[in-house]
Every structure is written in C-alpha cells, then in structure tokens.
Amino acid sequence: MKKKGLLIAMAMVLVFALAACSSKSNSDGGKKNKKQELEIFSWWTGAGEEDGLKALLKLFGDKYPDIKVNNAAVAGGAGTNAKAVLASRMQGNDPPSTFQVHAGAELNASWVAAGKMEPLNDLYKEQGWDDKFPQSLIDMISKDGNIYSVPVDIHRGNVLWYNKKVFDDNGLQPPKTFDDFFKVAEALQSKGITPLALGDKEPWAATMIFENILVAKLGADDYKKLWTGEIPLDDAKVKESAEIFKKMMGYVNKDHSSRNWQDASQLVAKGEAAMNVMGDWAKGYFVNDLKLKLNQDFGYTTTPESQGMFMIISDTFGLPKGVDNVADVKKFLGLLGSVEGQDAFNPLKGSIPARVDADPSKYDDYGKATMEDFKSAQLAPSLAHGSAAPEGFLTKVNQAVNIFVTQKDVNAFISSLKNASGDLK
Ligand code: BGC
C-alpha cells in the first residue's frame, strides 16, 4: 500500500514536471513572438535621456504603424547597467533587435571582433549614405572595409557648463586655462559656493574630468597614443594630469559619490555649485527637463586648455547576428540615419547630428556652434564612454579613478593605470 502511494506521488511529480515544461515551451513560444517585435535596447530612460528617443520612436510609429516596437531601455548613465545586461544577452545568443553602442572600441573590440555583428555596407548603399557621414566617424564604426553601425548623434565630452548668474554676480569669467580654473575656484570657495559639481556615484563621471585633462595636457594625437600603448600610462604628462585632477577634486561637492550626473547638474542649475564637466546630454537635461535657458541661465565653454579639440562620443545602432526581423531593424536604422530622424532626435538630446547635411536651423546656438567646431576640431575618442579603449581596460580605469577620488594618491593611481595597460590589446 505504502509502495502504491509512493508510485502515485512520483507520478504526480512527473505530471507537474511535464506541465511545467509545457508551460515553459509556451513561454518560449511567447519569446519567439517577442522576437517579431522590434526590440530597441539603450540606456536612455528618464530625465534628460529619453526625450530624443521618444521623438524618434514616434516618427517610426507614424511611418511603420504595423511594426511593434519594444523600447527596452535599461536605466543607468553611460550604460553602467545596460552594458552588463547586453553582454550577458549577447553571450547567451539572445541579442536585442538593435542596441545602442558607442562608435570606436566599444563596437569594434567588443562586438565586431567577436563576430557578433552584421556588416551594413548594403544598407549604406541602398540609403545613399556613402558621403553623408564624416569619414572620421565612419572609420570609428568600420573594420576591414565593412561598416557595422549607424550613428544617430555626435556628443561632445569636453564641455564645462556654468551657472551664469553665479559667474556674473561674482564678476568671474569662465576659465580657459587650468590656472584660470583654480583662480575662479578659489574665489568661489571663499564665498561658500561649491566651485565644481561632481556626481560620481557612477565613476565614469570622474573619468570624464580626467580624460579632459589628459587631452588638454597631451594634445589629441598623443592622447590617442595612450590607448595604443605608444605612450606609456606613467608618462610625465599623465602624472601632471593626475596632479591637476587631484587639485580639482579639492573643489567638488562633498556628497559627490552619492549623486549621479543629473543630480550634479542640478547643483549648477540651482546655483549651489558654479560649474560641472559633462557631455552635452547635460544641455538636453538643462533645457528640456530643468527648463533653463541657454546663454541666460547657463553658459558653456570647452574644458580648460582643450580648445580646438573635440572629445567625441557617438551613439550608434547596429544589427546583431541571429536576429529574426532583419528587414524591420533595417527600417529602424534607415530612419535613425536619415536627416529627418537625426533632426528629430538631436535637438532634444543635446547632441549634434552625425550627418553632414542635417538642417542647422533646427538647432540652438550651442548646436550650431558645435557643428561648426566639429568640422575643424581635432577629434579625440572618449575613454570614459568606451570609444578609446576596450571595455576591460575602461572598467579598471574607472575603478582606479574611483579610488583616487577618495585617496588622492597620485603614485598609486599611476601604477593602477599602468597595471591596467595589459588590457589595452
Ligand atoms: C551616451 C549618451 C548619454 C550619456 C549619459 C553616454 O555614454 O553616449 O547618449 O546621454 O551616456 O547616459
């Protein structure tokens, strides 16, 4: 009798197990349907980040009402969380239909080199894009003659934003050199105003300050040589940059490690801090979310001693291998790369269009001036945003920066950088 009971119990377990399996296969069936959706993966959520994407998606929906779009954005500035989610999905052969990826090493060293991306040369031909993007940018998204993504924007990373009223009230001029910066910072500090706002809860925000000092001290050419190993990371100019970085950290808000980039920008917006160093997505945030007026409430200049240089960060989207709905992805990429798509997205995002033939009248004075600057400036790919060097190296630099910001030990910082250089290959 006991044995019979046991058999019944075992049979029930089996039935439940089978039922669980069949419901799993239903949900797998669901997943297959899900793949018919156009899943657009980015980290543009929330304040200052999603307005441009929404405008683009609206345009796409108007043009292709039959294509179901899934806006699969993962929150976290500079892709702090999205990049990790993406990596595990790519490893599990479950790529989104298309995903945000920075031009440069992030695309090439991570995904193209691993054979995970489809070339898009045919799309470029079909769309007549051969001469529509700057060659310097095409070079950043190409490997062995193939083009692997479509750039939607060009962001500038070496921008210093400042509160105009704070500067005017204190009779100060925006700093052009590091000497100016420290003079202005002293004057502000003596009045109880935080000179420099920082939000490095996600460490890339501090890495941006450091890379902008590096480019200023080395120049764009030598800055690039740091990432190829031609100039060692314990070079005298890198040390000098670390000293300046250390000094600058003496002028930031005390609670920097608990703020993100938006929270830090708010300090400037409110006049509690005078300046911050951030990419021009901060302008999108100031204008669209905080309703500030460019050149009235806030002003901008290039970060000290980086005039004539352009720290370039370009958001692009590509076509991963193994995606079912290729035709729909290409429709999305087609819109993303069109003048119409770029002029809907960029005025809201704070960036300039990647296309050379976009309509400048759609952009504010910052946008117009930045488009002009881009034509003549020397380009330097951003390290903090994954364009200059492979992800493994960047992760170590971010860790080193994070420690440096609290410990302020230049020698330890330089040796961590030097130790990380093995990951440059
Ligand atoms: C991206 C921008 C974004 C910023 C903050 C950068 O890495 O290129 O599009 O606004 O991060 O999240």
Side-chain angles (χ1 to χ4, degrees):
M1 200 57 201
K2 252 191 179 168
K3 209 174 172 190
K4 199 173 169 200
L6 193 67
L7 278 175
I8 290 172
M10 280 170 70
M12 282 177 74
V13 167
L14 196 69
V15 168
F16 278 126
L18 284 174
C21 274
S22 86
S23 84
K24 185 160 185 281
S25 74
N26 279 344
S27 72
D28 279 347
K31 196 168 153 200
K32 235 193 153 23
N33 286 336
K34 200 180 120 211
K35 289 223 163 159
Q36 297 310 313
E37 290 178 345
L38 183 67
E39 190 190 7
I40 300 168
F41 186 93
S42 76
W43 58 86
W44 293 325
T45 64
E49 296 278 67
E50 67 182 0
D51 301 327
L53 177 64
K54 282 194 167 159
L56 198 63
L57 295 183
K58 161 95 179 57
L59 206 58
F60 188 78
D62 292 347
K63 279 193 195 301
Y64 304 104
D66 297 336
I67 301 179
K68 193 157 183 295
V69 171
N70 172 8
N71 176 3
V74 175
T80 305
N81 308 315
K83 284 188 197 176
V85 174
L86 178 71
S88 84
R89 288 191 56 176
M90 294 293 269
Q91 258 147 32
N93 291 323
D94 177 31
S97 314
T98 184
F99 61 88
Q100 177 184 1
V101 58
H102 290 124
E106 191 176 309
L107 171 70
N108 287 327
S110 298
W111 306 125
V112 177
K116 298 272 188 190
M117 304 302 289
E118 296 286 356
L120 295 171
N121 300 39
D122 289 351
L123 181 72
Y124 273 72
K125 283 233 155 48
E126 267 162 50
Q127 299 282 347
W129 285 346
D130 282 349
D131 56 353
K132 298 294 186 268
F133 295 94
Q135 190 55 43
S136 48
L137 185 53
I138 293 293
D139 291 344
M140 291 174 74
I141 53 173
S142 301
K143 207 171 170 114
D144 304 328
N146 286 326
I147 310 176
Y148 284 96
S149 69
V150 181
V152 63
D153 63 30
I154 295 174
H155 274 300
R156 188 174 204 173
N158 57 324
V159 193
L160 184 127
W161 309 96
Y162 61 94
N163 181 302
K164 274 206 99 136
K165 186 165 181 322
V166 169
F167 268 71
D168 292 348
D169 288 355
N170 291 287
L172 298 169
Q173 291 297 318
K176 293 263 167 265
T177 63
F178 289 105
D179 283 351
D180 293 348
F181 176 88
F182 290 118
K183 273 187 204 136
V184 164
E186 269 305 306
L188 290 160
Q189 189 126 297
S190 69
K191 302 246 168 107
I193 302 164
T194 301
L196 185 65
L198 173 65
D200 66 342
K201 186 173 166 186
E202 295 159 352
W204 60 268
T207 305
M208 281 191 82
I209 298 183
F210 182 52
E211 72 181 6
N212 286 323
I213 304 172
L214 285 174
V215 84
K217 286 292 152 194
L218 284 110
D221 284 343
D222 283 359
Y223 164 87
K224 285 189 266 187
K225 288 185 186 158
L226 291 172
W227 322 126
T228 56
E230 287 162 272
I231 295 185
L233 288 160
D234 54 359
D235 183 84
K237 292 239 167 93
V238 179
K239 282 195 189 150
E240 187 190 347
S241 303
E243 292 291 352
I244 295 173
F245 187 25
K246 176 177 167 178
K247 201 166 166 196
M248 282 175 101
M249 289 303 107
Y251 294 100
V252 299
N253 45 300
K254 293 218 162 43
D255 62 352
H256 58 90
S257 63
S258 59
R259 287 179 184 261
N260 65 17
W261 72 265
Q262 286 103 330
D263 304 331
S265 305
Q266 274 183 30
L267 290 176
V268 176
K270 288 186 194 143
E272 288 171 29
M275 305 174 265
N276 66 332
V277 169
M278 192 37 62
D280 46 18
W281 46 88
K283 193 205 67 185
Y285 180 57
F286 284 145
V287 174
N288 300 323
D289 291 81
L290 304 183
K291 309 289 173 213
L292 302 187
K293 291 213 164 46
L294 172 71
N295 292 333
Q296 283 181 39
D297 299 321
F298 72 98
Y300 69 91
T301 182
T302 40
T303 50
E305 299 176 27
S306 75
Q307 295 80 9
M309 289 181 265
F310 197 112
M311 188 63 75
I312 180 173
I313 299 148
S314 172
D315 294 302
T316 77
F317 285 74
L319 173 62
K321 279 196 178 147
V323 159
D324 295 333
N325 44 355
V326 172
D328 292 351
V329 178
K330 287 193 172 166
K331 284 183 186 131
F332 179 69
L333 296 179
L335 182 68
L336 193 90
S338 69
V339 169
E340 193 186 8
Q342 305 230 328
D343 286 345
F345 178 89
N346 289 295
L348 293 168
K349 188 66 175 45
S351 36
I352 60 168
R355 281 186 72 123
V356 293
D357 57 347
D359 178 0
S361 74
K362 298 250 163 52
Y363 295 80
D364 59 16
D365 288 349
Y366 172 85
K368 289 189 187 106
T370 306
M371 281 184 220
E372 275 312 304
D373 275 6
F374 182 81
K375 290 184 195 156
S376 57
Q378 282 183 284
L379 302 186
S382 165
L383 171 69
H385 294 275
S387 300
E391 205 59 27
F393 175 75
L394 172 56
T395 304
K396 290 190 178 161
V397 172
N398 278 334
Q399 282 162 357
V401 165
N402 205 227
I403 294 169
F404 179 68
V405 165
T406 24
Q407 295 188 348
K408 304 201 176 78
D409 181 337
V410 171
N411 289 334
F413 180 50
I414 296 293
S415 63
S416 316
L417 294 180
K418 185 89 175 111
N419 289 341
S421 55
D423 285 276
L424 276 172
K425 278 140 220 145

